[in-house]
């Protein structure tokens, strides 16, 4: 019997829908994504009952429809595999989560034309929301499962700008005209919080005319309240690869920058100082030079009388405000019939033309019934008083936070963000570790990832890809900070975060009395790693499960190794020196007996690992990344019998993997990307019967693969560059189920790593 292409499409579509509905009710492992997929399928299903819409689906090359049918059949197999994932297998969860999102996107893209014809339907708005959800979930998964460090962590490159911008064309042309005047050296964009000053500055930097004039010499610096001339100039030097300079004073830094500009011989340069505060006005003056073609653009919520050239950014007019609100509240670009125009206009008017408020309020009302719009407006109207404009915006933002009352755990997570310094990015991994301890969430990070995603969907946080999260500035102007505390009594504290800004810091004695402490994080924002003292107090914290050190220097860390309940230990951008070697001796054979996660990232002075680290038999994840002086791993690495994840990204001097690696039968993921000096993999690697994923892009020294690779039958994914991909050609017949993904090789970045 010959089956028509129309019948085949309908059959496979409904088979997939049936399996999704069945498995959504049976499994809780990836339930959220399965429910989203079910909603997508049910929203598309009516297309098959309306011939005029189905004809549009079929009005395309038959081979395209046939390929899509194959995608749906594979989708059915994917859903069945998802239902069989073990609850403990975090790698499989993330892997198949990404595949479900991809399947969802393929459905949306294939039916895209038909969906546009039905955009006025309320039910179809969920499809666009799911599409946005997929993109943001990809960011969350990337933040959880990958690590990547850019070669220049303090680059002053211009960031991107939002996709949908309303009402800025006139401002852009006026600003450009003012900036390009011959006698304008400093131009200030001033306006209230949330008015779009930063967006306008980014638009200007990306303008073709501006790029033609200034070329690559457009430098963008986000200025924190605690910044200084020395810090900003240090960032500029590092942007140009001049990172060997150490300035003692602001004056020295200023003189060296002026010399650098003259030495470069550039005719035009634009320096953007974003988000300047009133107390930093002198910084602008210190960065002025009598150099032709050198201009400074400043954004600030304050006015600076010293500089006469100021562009005061006005608020959006009623029409543009309504357009921006509707874009955020109605992704389908059509207002549903149950929300009146009058109600939309009143909400937009209440936001006072502030883009930030319009975006946040629109997102909070997206998909809500008319009753919700009415009650929101009523609450705002009743509480309105003679407040300043900024306070009106804050009131609008408060309503979005109040919406989290229905999700108390998510609201608590959001309020925790107030514990961190202003203008600093926060590591997603750290947040999730903290929330696990505070709210007894799952160790694998599934629920904590959902909390991040929920806050992102509500426009309360911005998720930044991991490659950009490494661009944090770890400097501050405050070099004199007292570590003398009052004798506090806080026996019930479970998570302690210390943000320090001094060369040397001594832990307060009251910390050792925090008997319930489960997690401690200490971060230095000084120019150079701060020396940390009195670690002996930690030995008293028997309930401590997680420690995170960032940008610190140690002389000894032996007291940490007495913590038998510690599960996660992290050193990021720390000076470890010999502290790790000296504290682990044969006299302490049972140190850190329950540690499951060890991270050592960007610790540039780490040269070797003590062999007794191989006694950490419960270790499941070992991450040693961007430690560019490390050249050898302990021979006994194979003793880590429970190890599941081994990450060695960007250890550029590492020569080889130990032969004992073949004993790691539970190892499912290896990352040796950018390990430039590895020329040969051990034959024993073929014994890794549990290996699922191998990341090896940037391994320029690797010229062949061991024959034993043919035995890696469980290997599902290999990520490599084009050059390395040729090494896998001889294994295609032996590993038919292994997917080879080729990533683009960044020649400049590889060169910088070699130089470093």
């Amino acid at each position: 019997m010959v089956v028509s292409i129309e019948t085949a499409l309908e059959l496979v579509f409904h088979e997939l829908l049936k399996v999704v509905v069945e498995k959504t009710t049976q499994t809780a492992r990836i339930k959220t994504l399965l429910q989203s997929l079910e909603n997508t399928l049910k929203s598309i299903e009516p297309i098959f009952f309306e011939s005029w819409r189905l004809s549009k689906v079929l009005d395309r090359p038959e081979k395209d429809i046939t390929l899509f049918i194959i995608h749906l059949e594979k989708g059915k197999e994917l859903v069945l595999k998802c239902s069989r994932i073990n609850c403990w297998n975090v790698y499989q969860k993330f892997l198949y989560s990404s595949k479900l999102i991809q399947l969802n996107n393929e459905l949306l893209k294939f039916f895209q034309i038909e969906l546009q014809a039905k955009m006025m339907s309320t039910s179809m708005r969920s499809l666009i929301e799911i599409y946005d959800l997929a993109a943001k979930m990809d960011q969350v998964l990337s933040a959880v499962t990958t690590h990547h460090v850019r070669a220049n962590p303090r680059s002053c490159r211009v960031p991107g700008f939002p996709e949908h911008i309303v009402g800025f064309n006139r401002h852009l042309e006026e600003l450009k005209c003012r900036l390009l005047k011959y006698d304008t050296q400093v131009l200030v964009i001033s306006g209230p919080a949330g008015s779009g000053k930063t967006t306008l500055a980014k638009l200007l930097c990306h303008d073709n005319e501006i790029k033609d004039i200034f070329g690559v010499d457009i430098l963008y610096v986000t200025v924190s309240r605690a910044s200084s001339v020395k810090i900003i100039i240090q960032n500029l030097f590092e942007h140009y690869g001049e990172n060997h300079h150490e300035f003692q004073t602001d004056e020295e830094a200023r003189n060296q920058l002026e010399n650098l500009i003259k030495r470069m011989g550039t005719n035009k340069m634009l320096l953007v100082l974003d988000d300047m505060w009133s107390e930093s006005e002198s910084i602008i003056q210190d960065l002025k030079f009598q150099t032709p073609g050198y201009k400074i653009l400043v954004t600030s919520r304050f006015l600076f009388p010293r500089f006469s050239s100021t562009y005061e950014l006005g608020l959006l007019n009623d029409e543009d405000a309504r357009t921006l609100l509707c874009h955020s509240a109605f992704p389908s670009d059509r207002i549903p019939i149950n929300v009146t125009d009058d109600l939309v206009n009143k909400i937009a008017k209440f936001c006072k033309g502030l883009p930030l408020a319009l975006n946040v309020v629109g997102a909070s009302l997206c998909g809500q019934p008319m009753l919700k719009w009415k009650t929101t407006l009523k609450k705002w109207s009743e509480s309105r008083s003679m407040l300043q404009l900024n306070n009106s915006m804050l009131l609008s933002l408060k309503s979005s936070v109040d919406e989290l009352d229905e999700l108390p755990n998510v609201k608590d997570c959001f309020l925790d963000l107030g514990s961190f310094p202003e203008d600093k990015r926060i590591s997603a991994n750290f947040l999730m570790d903290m929330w696990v301890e505070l709210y007894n969430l799952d160790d694998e990070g599934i629920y904590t990832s959902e909390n991040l995603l929920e806050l992102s969907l509500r426009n309360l946080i911005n998720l930044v890809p991991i490659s950009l999260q490494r661009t944090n500035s770890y400097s501050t102007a405050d070099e004199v900070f007292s570590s003398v505390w009052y004798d506090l009594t806080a026996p019930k504290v479970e998570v302690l975060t210390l943000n320090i800004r001094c060369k040397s810091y001594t832990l307060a004695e009251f910390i050792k009395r925090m008997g319930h402490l489960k997690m401690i994080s200490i971060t230095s924002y000084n120019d150079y790693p701060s020396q940390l003292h009195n670690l002996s107090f930690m030995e008293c914290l028997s309930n401590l499960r997680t420690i995170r050190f960032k940008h610190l220097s140690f002389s000894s860390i032996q007291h940490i190794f007495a913590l038998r309940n510690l599960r996660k230990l992290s050193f990021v951008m720390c000076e470890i020196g010999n502290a790790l070697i000296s504290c682990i001796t044969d006299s302490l054979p049972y140190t850190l007996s329950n540690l499951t996660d060890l991270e050592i990232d960007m610790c540039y002075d780490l040269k070797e690992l003590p062999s007794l680290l191989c006694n950490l038999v419960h270790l499941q994840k070992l991450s040693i990344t961007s430690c560019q002086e490390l050249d050898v791993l302990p021979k006994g690495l194979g003793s880590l019998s429970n190890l599941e994840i081994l990450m060695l990204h960007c250890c550029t001097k590492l020569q080889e993997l130990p032969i004992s690696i073949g004993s790691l039968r539970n190892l499912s993921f290896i990352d040796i990307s950018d390990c430039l000096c590895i020329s040969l993999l051990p034959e024993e690697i073929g014994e890794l019967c549990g290996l699922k994923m191998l990341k090896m892009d940037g391994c320029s020294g690797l010229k062949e693969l061991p024959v034993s690779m043919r035995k890696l039958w469980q290997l599902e994914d290999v990520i490599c560059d084009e050059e390395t991909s040729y090494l896998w050609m001889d294994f295609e017949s032996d590993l038919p189920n292994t997917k080879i993904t080729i990533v683009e090789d960044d020649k400049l970045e590889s060169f910088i790593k070699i130089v470093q």
Side-chain angles (χ1 to χ4, degrees), residues 75-109:
K76 176 183 174 181
E77 298 175 3
L78 173 63
V79 174
L80 292 174
K81 288 181 180 179
C82 289
S83 65
R84 295 192 291 267
I85 297 176
N86 293 319
C87 61
W88 50 264
N89 198 329
V90 63
Y91 165 75
Q92 292 285 342
K93 288 180 182 179
F94 285 122
L95 177 64
Y96 283 101
S97 293
S98 179
K99 291 182 178 180
L100 283 175
I101 291 171
Q102 183 179 358
L103 174 61
N104 206 9
N105 287 344
E106 289 173 351
L107 282 166
L108 291 170
K109 291 177 182 178

mmCIF file of all heavy atoms in Angstrom, residues 75-109:
data_model
loop_
_atom_site.group_PDB
_atom_site.id
_atom_site.type_symbol
_atom_site.label_atom_id
_atom_site.label_comp_id
_atom_site.label_asym_id
_atom_site.label_seq_id
_atom_site.Cartn_x
_atom_site.Cartn_y
_atom_site.Cartn_z
ATOM 1 N N GLY A 75 12.542 11.997 16.915
ATOM 2 C CA GLY A 75 12.029 12.650 18.112
ATOM 3 C C GLY A 75 11.301 11.685 19.020
ATOM 4 O O GLY A 75 11.405 11.751 20.250
ATOM 5 N N LYS A 76 10.555 10.776 18.421
ATOM 6 C CA LYS A 76 9.858 9.757 19.203
ATOM 7 C C LYS A 76 10.857 8.895 19.966
ATOM 8 O O LYS A 76 10.682 8.608 21.157
ATOM 9 C CB LYS A 76 9.002 8.899 18.269
ATOM 10 C CG LYS A 76 8.296 7.740 18.958
ATOM 11 C CD LYS A 76 7.523 6.908 17.950
ATOM 12 C CE LYS A 76 6.928 5.667 18.608
ATOM 13 N NZ LYS A 76 6.187 4.827 17.620
ATOM 14 N N GLU A 77 11.939 8.470 19.276
ATOM 15 C CA GLU A 77 12.982 7.685 19.937
ATOM 16 C C GLU A 77 13.638 8.480 21.065
ATOM 17 O O GLU A 77 13.953 7.935 22.126
ATOM 18 C CB GLU A 77 14.040 7.266 18.915
ATOM 19 C CG GLU A 77 13.503 6.369 17.800
ATOM 20 C CD GLU A 77 14.556 6.082 16.746
ATOM 21 O OE1 GLU A 77 15.704 6.535 16.942
ATOM 22 O OE2 GLU A 77 14.237 5.412 15.753
ATOM 23 N N LEU A 78 13.824 9.777 20.834
ATOM 24 C CA LEU A 78 14.442 10.636 21.845
ATOM 25 C C LEU A 78 13.601 10.694 23.113
ATOM 26 O O LEU A 78 14.116 10.575 24.222
ATOM 27 C CB LEU A 78 14.635 12.045 21.275
ATOM 28 C CG LEU A 78 15.118 13.128 22.244
ATOM 29 C CD1 LEU A 78 16.505 12.796 22.766
ATOM 30 C CD2 LEU A 78 15.117 14.493 21.561
ATOM 31 N N VAL A 79 12.295 10.875 22.959
ATOM 32 C CA VAL A 79 11.404 10.947 24.122
ATOM 33 C C VAL A 79 11.432 9.637 24.899
ATOM 34 O O VAL A 79 11.438 9.624 26.139
ATOM 35 C CB VAL A 79 9.975 11.293 23.676
ATOM 36 C CG1 VAL A 79 9.013 11.224 24.862
ATOM 37 C CG2 VAL A 79 9.933 12.681 23.048
ATOM 38 N N LEU A 80 11.451 8.512 24.185
ATOM 39 C CA LEU A 80 11.515 7.211 24.862
ATOM 40 C C LEU A 80 12.813 7.057 25.641
ATOM 41 O O LEU A 80 12.832 6.526 26.757
ATOM 42 C CB LEU A 80 11.380 6.090 23.825
ATOM 43 C CG LEU A 80 10.000 5.966 23.156
ATOM 44 C CD1 LEU A 80 10.033 4.930 22.043
ATOM 45 C CD2 LEU A 80 8.935 5.596 24.179
ATOM 46 N N LYS A 81 13.928 7.546 25.063
ATOM 47 C CA LYS A 81 15.204 7.493 25.775
ATOM 48 C C LYS A 81 15.185 8.368 27.019
ATOM 49 O O LYS A 81 15.730 8.010 28.053
ATOM 50 C CB LYS A 81 16.339 7.935 24.845
ATOM 51 C CG LYS A 81 16.685 6.935 23.754
ATOM 52 C CD LYS A 81 17.845 7.442 22.901
ATOM 53 C CE LYS A 81 18.210 6.452 21.807
ATOM 54 N NZ LYS A 81 19.325 6.951 20.960
ATOM 55 N N CYS A 82 14.538 9.536 26.913
ATOM 56 C CA CYS A 82 14.467 10.449 28.067
ATOM 57 C C CYS A 82 13.778 9.792 29.253
ATOM 58 O O CYS A 82 14.139 10.029 30.404
ATOM 59 C CB CYS A 82 13.728 11.731 27.677
ATOM 60 S SG CYS A 82 14.646 12.802 26.565
ATOM 61 N N SER A 83 12.784 8.980 28.964
ATOM 62 C CA SER A 83 12.021 8.346 30.050
ATOM 63 C C SER A 83 12.829 7.286 30.774
ATOM 64 O O SER A 83 12.457 6.847 31.852
ATOM 65 C CB SER A 83 10.744 7.725 29.496
ATOM 66 O OG SER A 83 11.045 6.658 28.606
ATOM 67 N N ARG A 84 13.969 6.888 30.165
ATOM 68 C CA ARG A 84 14.780 5.831 30.778
ATOM 69 C C ARG A 84 16.043 6.380 31.446
ATOM 70 O O ARG A 84 16.882 5.620 31.898
ATOM 71 C CB ARG A 84 15.181 4.803 29.708
ATOM 72 C CG ARG A 84 13.989 4.056 29.121
ATOM 73 C CD ARG A 84 14.450 2.850 28.303
ATOM 74 N NE ARG A 84 15.119 3.247 27.085
ATOM 75 C CZ ARG A 84 14.506 3.390 25.911
ATOM 76 N NH1 ARG A 84 13.195 3.180 25.820
ATOM 77 N NH2 ARG A 84 15.178 3.747 24.828
ATOM 78 N N ILE A 85 16.186 7.695 31.508
ATOM 79 C CA ILE A 85 17.375 8.285 32.130
ATOM 80 C C ILE A 85 17.358 8.031 33.636
ATOM 81 O O ILE A 85 16.350 8.269 34.303
ATOM 82 C CB ILE A 85 17.443 9.799 31.857
ATOM 83 C CG1 ILE A 85 17.571 10.060 30.356
ATOM 84 C CG2 ILE A 85 18.620 10.425 32.593
ATOM 85 C CD1 ILE A 85 17.548 11.519 30.007
ATOM 86 N N ASN A 86 18.470 7.575 34.168
ATOM 87 C CA ASN A 86 18.573 7.386 35.613
ATOM 88 C C ASN A 86 18.581 8.722 36.332
ATOM 89 O O ASN A 86 19.127 9.704 35.832
ATOM 90 C CB ASN A 86 19.854 6.616 35.961
ATOM 91 C CG ASN A 86 19.812 5.185 35.452
ATOM 92 O OD1 ASN A 86 18.783 4.529 35.542
ATOM 93 N ND2 ASN A 86 20.925 4.710 34.902
ATOM 94 N N CYS A 87 17.980 8.783 37.502
ATOM 95 C CA CYS A 87 17.843 10.044 38.231
ATOM 96 C C CYS A 87 19.189 10.649 38.603
ATOM 97 O O CYS A 87 19.323 11.853 38.745
ATOM 98 C CB CYS A 87 16.994 9.845 39.482
ATOM 99 S SG CYS A 87 17.694 8.661 40.651
ATOM 100 N N TRP A 88 20.216 9.815 38.735
ATOM 101 C CA TRP A 88 21.524 10.316 39.162
ATOM 102 C C TRP A 88 22.382 10.794 38.012
ATOM 103 O O TRP A 88 23.406 11.426 38.217
ATOM 104 C CB TRP A 88 22.286 9.215 39.905
ATOM 105 C CG TRP A 88 22.329 7.911 39.164
ATOM 106 C CD1 TRP A 88 21.504 6.845 39.326
ATOM 107 C CD2 TRP A 88 23.247 7.542 38.123
ATOM 108 N NE1 TRP A 88 21.830 5.839 38.463
ATOM 109 C CE2 TRP A 88 22.905 6.236 37.708
ATOM 110 C CE3 TRP A 88 24.318 8.185 37.514
ATOM 111 C CZ2 TRP A 88 23.587 5.571 36.704
ATOM 112 C CZ3 TRP A 88 25.002 7.526 36.511
ATOM 113 C CH2 TRP A 88 24.642 6.232 36.116
ATOM 114 N N ASN A 89 21.982 10.498 36.783
ATOM 115 C CA ASN A 89 22.840 10.770 35.636
ATOM 116 C C ASN A 89 22.646 12.191 35.138
ATOM 117 O O ASN A 89 21.878 12.468 34.221
ATOM 118 C CB ASN A 89 22.551 9.783 34.510
ATOM 119 C CG ASN A 89 23.686 9.731 33.497
ATOM 120 O OD1 ASN A 89 24.360 10.730 33.270
ATOM 121 N ND2 ASN A 89 23.906 8.573 32.895
ATOM 122 N N VAL A 90 23.351 13.128 35.757
ATOM 123 C CA VAL A 90 23.187 14.547 35.418
ATOM 124 C C VAL A 90 23.650 14.837 33.998
ATOM 125 O O VAL A 90 23.077 15.677 33.300
ATOM 126 C CB VAL A 90 23.945 15.428 36.432
ATOM 127 C CG1 VAL A 90 25.427 15.168 36.374
ATOM 128 C CG2 VAL A 90 23.660 16.902 36.173
ATOM 129 N N TYR A 91 24.683 14.125 33.544
ATOM 130 C CA TYR A 91 25.155 14.357 32.174
ATOM 131 C C TYR A 91 24.058 14.036 31.158
ATOM 132 O O TYR A 91 23.803 14.815 30.231
ATOM 133 C CB TYR A 91 26.388 13.502 31.894
ATOM 134 C CG TYR A 91 26.709 13.415 30.416
ATOM 135 C CD1 TYR A 91 27.289 14.495 29.757
ATOM 136 C CD2 TYR A 91 26.399 12.276 29.685
ATOM 137 C CE1 TYR A 91 27.559 14.440 28.407
ATOM 138 C CE2 TYR A 91 26.665 12.212 28.333
ATOM 139 C CZ TYR A 91 27.249 13.291 27.704
ATOM 140 O OH TYR A 91 27.508 13.237 26.369
ATOM 141 N N GLN A 92 23.408 12.888 31.342
ATOM 142 C CA GLN A 92 22.344 12.502 30.421
ATOM 143 C C GLN A 92 21.186 13.498 30.458
ATOM 144 O O GLN A 92 20.581 13.817 29.427
ATOM 145 C CB GLN A 92 21.831 11.101 30.779
ATOM 146 C CG GLN A 92 22.838 9.992 30.512
ATOM 147 C CD GLN A 92 22.957 9.688 29.028
ATOM 148 O OE1 GLN A 92 22.089 10.039 28.251
ATOM 149 N NE2 GLN A 92 24.046 9.052 28.634
ATOM 150 N N LYS A 93 20.897 14.017 31.637
ATOM 151 C CA LYS A 93 19.798 14.985 31.752
ATOM 152 C C LYS A 93 20.074 16.230 30.923
ATOM 153 O O LYS A 93 19.225 16.703 30.167
ATOM 154 C CB LYS A 93 19.591 15.367 33.221
ATOM 155 C CG LYS A 93 18.970 14.268 34.066
ATOM 156 C CD LYS A 93 18.792 14.735 35.504
ATOM 157 C CE LYS A 93 18.219 13.627 36.373
ATOM 158 N NZ LYS A 93 18.065 14.052 37.768
ATOM 159 N N PHE A 94 21.276 16.760 31.070
ATOM 160 C CA PHE A 94 21.606 17.967 30.319
ATOM 161 C C PHE A 94 21.692 17.689 28.819
ATOM 162 O O PHE A 94 21.265 18.486 27.998
ATOM 163 C CB PHE A 94 22.922 18.556 30.820
ATOM 164 C CG PHE A 94 22.799 19.250 32.136
ATOM 165 C CD1 PHE A 94 23.558 18.862 33.221
ATOM 166 C CD2 PHE A 94 21.900 20.292 32.296
ATOM 167 C CE1 PHE A 94 23.435 19.510 34.435
ATOM 168 C CE2 PHE A 94 21.783 20.946 33.502
ATOM 169 C CZ PHE A 94 22.548 20.549 34.571
ATOM 170 N N LEU A 95 22.263 16.538 28.460
ATOM 171 C CA LEU A 95 22.409 16.191 27.048
ATOM 172 C C LEU A 95 21.049 16.089 26.371
ATOM 173 O O LEU A 95 20.809 16.682 25.316
ATOM 174 C CB LEU A 95 23.169 14.869 26.921
ATOM 175 C CG LEU A 95 23.344 14.328 25.501
ATOM 176 C CD1 LEU A 95 24.189 15.284 24.678
ATOM 177 C CD2 LEU A 95 23.974 12.943 25.533
ATOM 178 N N TYR A 96 20.119 15.354 27.001
ATOM 179 C CA TYR A 96 18.821 15.153 26.372
ATOM 180 C C TYR A 96 17.918 16.375 26.524
ATOM 181 O O TYR A 96 17.000 16.569 25.726
ATOM 182 C CB TYR A 96 18.157 13.894 26.935
ATOM 183 C CG TYR A 96 18.753 12.636 26.362
ATOM 184 C CD1 TYR A 96 19.672 11.878 27.083
ATOM 185 C CD2 TYR A 96 18.433 12.228 25.076
ATOM 186 C CE1 TYR A 96 20.241 10.744 26.547
ATOM 187 C CE2 TYR A 96 18.992 11.085 24.528
ATOM 188 C CZ TYR A 96 19.904 10.341 25.266
ATOM 189 O OH TYR A 96 20.465 9.230 24.716
ATOM 190 N N SER A 97 18.163 17.199 27.535
ATOM 191 C CA SER A 97 17.428 18.464 27.626
ATOM 192 C C SER A 97 17.712 19.313 26.394
ATOM 193 O O SER A 97 16.810 19.885 25.776
ATOM 194 C CB SER A 97 17.827 19.229 28.889
ATOM 195 O OG SER A 97 17.414 18.552 30.038
ATOM 196 N N SER A 98 18.991 19.384 26.014
ATOM 197 C CA SER A 98 19.372 20.160 24.840
ATOM 198 C C SER A 98 18.735 19.592 23.582
ATOM 199 O O SER A 98 18.275 20.332 22.711
ATOM 200 C CB SER A 98 20.902 20.167 24.713
ATOM 201 O OG SER A 98 21.304 20.891 23.581
ATOM 202 N N LYS A 99 18.668 18.266 23.468
ATOM 203 C CA LYS A 99 18.085 17.642 22.286
ATOM 204 C C LYS A 99 16.578 17.881 22.218
ATOM 205 O O LYS A 99 16.009 18.053 21.130
ATOM 206 C CB LYS A 99 18.389 16.143 22.279
ATOM 207 C CG LYS A 99 19.869 15.835 22.051
ATOM 208 C CD LYS A 99 20.132 14.338 21.997
ATOM 209 C CE LYS A 99 21.604 14.055 21.720
ATOM 210 N NZ LYS A 99 21.893 12.603 21.653
ATOM 211 N N LEU A 100 15.897 17.874 23.374
ATOM 212 C CA LEU A 100 14.459 18.169 23.389
ATOM 213 C C LEU A 100 14.188 19.599 22.935
ATOM 214 O O LEU A 100 13.232 19.870 22.204
ATOM 215 C CB LEU A 100 13.890 17.940 24.793
ATOM 216 C CG LEU A 100 13.656 16.494 25.211
ATOM 217 C CD1 LEU A 100 13.218 16.429 26.664
ATOM 218 C CD2 LEU A 100 12.616 15.823 24.324
ATOM 219 N N ILE A 101 15.029 20.510 23.398
ATOM 220 C CA ILE A 101 14.888 21.906 22.981
ATOM 221 C C ILE A 101 15.077 22.034 21.475
ATOM 222 O O ILE A 101 14.340 22.753 20.789
ATOM 223 C CB ILE A 101 15.901 22.790 23.735
ATOM 224 C CG1 ILE A 101 15.516 22.866 25.216
ATOM 225 C CG2 ILE A 101 15.954 24.188 23.142
ATOM 226 C CD1 ILE A 101 16.563 23.525 26.083
ATOM 227 N N GLN A 102 16.057 21.313 20.938
ATOM 228 C CA GLN A 102 16.293 21.351 19.492
ATOM 229 C C GLN A 102 15.098 20.803 18.729
ATOM 230 O O GLN A 102 14.690 21.362 17.702
ATOM 231 C CB GLN A 102 17.550 20.542 19.163
ATOM 232 C CG GLN A 102 17.923 20.586 17.681
ATOM 233 C CD GLN A 102 19.177 19.794 17.394
ATOM 234 O OE1 GLN A 102 19.793 19.238 18.293
ATOM 235 N NE2 GLN A 102 19.546 19.730 16.140
ATOM 236 N N LEU A 103 14.511 19.717 19.213
ATOM 237 C CA LEU A 103 13.320 19.152 18.572
ATOM 238 C C LEU A 103 12.170 20.154 18.597
ATOM 239 O O LEU A 103 11.451 20.329 17.599
ATOM 240 C CB LEU A 103 12.912 17.858 19.286
ATOM 241 C CG LEU A 103 11.603 17.205 18.827
ATOM 242 C CD1 LEU A 103 11.675 16.814 17.351
ATOM 243 C CD2 LEU A 103 11.283 15.988 19.690
ATOM 244 N N ASN A 104 12.001 20.822 19.730
ATOM 245 C CA ASN A 104 10.945 21.825 19.855
ATOM 246 C C ASN A 104 11.142 22.957 18.844
ATOM 247 O O ASN A 104 10.201 23.415 18.185
ATOM 248 C CB ASN A 104 10.952 22.377 21.283
ATOM 249 C CG ASN A 104 9.601 22.913 21.700
ATOM 250 O OD1 ASN A 104 8.608 22.736 20.995
ATOM 251 N ND2 ASN A 104 9.562 23.572 22.828
ATOM 252 N N ASN A 105 12.393 23.386 18.699
ATOM 253 C CA ASN A 105 12.699 24.455 17.743
ATOM 254 C C ASN A 105 12.430 24.031 16.305
ATOM 255 O O ASN A 105 11.948 24.819 15.485
ATOM 256 C CB ASN A 105 14.158 24.882 17.886
ATOM 257 C CG ASN A 105 14.403 25.679 19.155
ATOM 258 O OD1 ASN A 105 13.458 26.165 19.768
ATOM 259 N ND2 ASN A 105 15.642 25.800 19.556
ATOM 260 N N GLU A 106 12.746 22.766 15.980
ATOM 261 C CA GLU A 106 12.501 22.275 14.626
ATOM 262 C C GLU A 106 11.008 22.267 14.299
ATOM 263 O O GLU A 106 10.600 22.578 13.178
ATOM 264 C CB GLU A 106 13.096 20.874 14.470
ATOM 265 C CG GLU A 106 14.630 20.869 14.440
ATOM 266 C CD GLU A 106 15.202 19.471 14.455
ATOM 267 O OE1 GLU A 106 14.419 18.524 14.670
ATOM 268 O OE2 GLU A 106 16.426 19.327 14.269
ATOM 269 N N LEU A 107 10.207 21.915 15.289
ATOM 270 C CA LEU A 107 8.754 21.960 15.090
ATOM 271 C C LEU A 107 8.295 23.379 14.793
ATOM 272 O O LEU A 107 7.518 23.628 13.865
ATOM 273 C CB LEU A 107 8.039 21.433 16.342
ATOM 274 C CG LEU A 107 8.002 19.913 16.516
ATOM 275 C CD1 LEU A 107 7.585 19.570 17.935
ATOM 276 C CD2 LEU A 107 7.047 19.281 15.522
ATOM 277 N N LEU A 108 8.789 24.310 15.583
ATOM 278 C CA LEU A 108 8.387 25.704 15.403
ATOM 279 C C LEU A 108 8.806 26.241 14.040
ATOM 280 O O LEU A 108 8.042 26.927 13.366
ATOM 281 C CB LEU A 108 9.000 26.563 16.511
ATOM 282 C CG LEU A 108 8.441 26.321 17.920
ATOM 283 C CD1 LEU A 108 9.291 27.034 18.950
ATOM 284 C CD2 LEU A 108 7.011 26.792 18.020
ATOM 285 N N LYS A 109 10.041 25.904 13.635
ATOM 286 C CA LYS A 109 10.541 26.414 12.359
ATOM 287 C C LYS A 109 9.788 25.819 11.176
ATOM 288 O O LYS A 109 9.481 26.508 10.209
ATOM 289 C CB LYS A 109 12.036 26.118 12.229
ATOM 290 C CG LYS A 109 12.901 26.917 13.187
ATOM 291 C CD LYS A 109 14.366 26.521 13.071
ATOM 292 C CE LYS A 109 15.211 27.298 14.071
ATOM 293 N NZ LYS A 109 16.636 26.891 14.016
#
